[in-house]
Amino acid sequence: MSRLIAGARGLFKRHPFVTNSAIYGSLYVGAEFSQQYVSKRWLATPEEREDIDYTTVGRYAVMGTVIYAPTLYAWYKWLDGTFPGTLKKTIVKKLLLDQFILTPYCLTLFYTGMSLMEGSDDIFQELREKFLPTFQRSCVFWLPAQALNFLFIAPRFRIIYMGFCGMIWVNILCWIKRQSLSTETSTETATMTTQTTNNTTTSTTTTAISNVKA
């Protein structure tokens, strides 16, 4: 066990970028896979069970490993170098910069990047529709999480900490999104049922009037 820990420390010292990117990407993929497994296998009835969408999991692998991890590594290297220490003023500066500069940038990367990989006709549509509500929820989740990050986590372990937080965050977002979609589907079904009933009633009434006239 001690050799394993020593080896891990050596990797972080010799290859911090590669190690952080690999771990963050793995956690990001784990979040998407676990979300699909829970919604499609665990909570679904036997008739509703679906296969895991590995194409989507692959897109999350690209987003987490190739796009997000390098961005976070460069950002926190600059942030910790520019604002060292754990004084209250320093922590507040880091929190504000992180939430109001990095987060909008990352959300833009996420929605436009995923839309590109999905082959969407309008790569900015999802960004326009979901940016504001996602950013509002991120303030509730990430501000306390990042306060703990800047206070207690060593700089070389920030990306790993972000990976664990990101795993929770992605699961929360997917759960909220699934609930929203379920509500919308129920509303659409109710609307279609009402329209069908109205059309049937109108047709019946028209037939009755025609019979009377005849």
Side-chain angles (χ1 to χ4, degrees):
M1 187 66 180
S2 59
R3 290 182 179 180
L4 183 62
I5 295 174
R9 288 178 178 174
L11 281 175
F12 277 107
K13 289 180 179 180
R14 293 193 302 270
H15 310 287
F17 174 75
V18 175
T19 306
N20 278 285
S21 296
I23 294 176
Y24 185 88
S26 299
L27 292 170
Y28 210 78
V29 169
E32 171 60 18
F33 182 85
S34 64
Q35 184 60 220
Q36 287 197 38
Y37 186 86
V38 169
S39 61
K40 294 182 177 183
R41 298 285 183 86
W42 189 20
L43 297 180
T45 61
E47 297 78 13
E48 296 175 340
R49 287 177 182 172
E50 302 176 21
D51 293 332
I52 300 297
D53 184 359
Y54 287 101
T55 302
T56 300
V57 174
R59 287 195 286 266
Y60 274 84
V62 173
M63 182 62 63
T65 307
V66 180
I67 299 176
Y68 266 13
T71 299
L72 296 176
Y73 180 83
W75 169 260
Y76 289 115
K77 187 175 181 180
W78 171 83
L79 194 66
D80 288 323
T82 307
F83 303 100
T86 57
L87 294 175
K88 289 183 179 179
K89 290 183 179 180
T90 303
I91 298 299
V92 170
K93 288 178 182 178
K94 286 184 174 181
L95 285 174
L96 293 176
L97 289 171
D98 194 78
Q99 186 63 32
F100 294 99
I101 293 181
L102 178 67
T103 298
Y105 177 74
C106 286
L107 291 179
T108 302
L109 280 179
F110 177 78
Y111 283 122
T112 56
M114 294 296 283
S115 295
L116 275 172
M117 287 187 283
E118 291 167 357
S120 302
D121 294 330
D122 184 358
I123 63 172
F124 298 107
Q125 180 179 356
E126 197 168 23
L127 177 66
R128 290 193 298 267
E129 293 175 354
K130 298 179 180 179
F131 176 84
L132 185 57
T134 305
F135 180 77
Q136 291 171 339
R137 293 184 180 109
S138 75
C139 290
V140 176
F141 179 85
W142 281 112
L143 285 174
Q146 290 297 70
L148 295 175
N149 185 7
F150 296 135
L151 280 170
F152 302 113
I153 306 299
R156 65 179 180 275
F157 297 126
R158 290 209 196 285
I159 307 304
I160 297 176
Y161 173 82
M162 290 287 294
F164 281 105
C165 291
M167 188 173 183
I168 300 171
W169 170 242
V170 171
N171 274 281
I172 292 172
L173 280 184
C174 291
W175 183 83
I176 294 172
K177 184 177 181 181
R178 189 173 70 251
Q179 297 302 310
S180 177
L181 288 175
S182 299
T183 303
E184 291 173 4
T185 303
S186 301
T187 303
E188 290 174 0
T189 303
T191 303
M192 291 176 64
T193 303
T194 303
Q195 290 176 347
T196 302
T197 304
N198 290 339
N199 290 338
T200 303
T201 303
T202 302
S203 177
T204 304
T205 304
T206 303
T207 303
I209 292 174
S210 298
N211 291 337
V212 170
K213 286 184 179 180

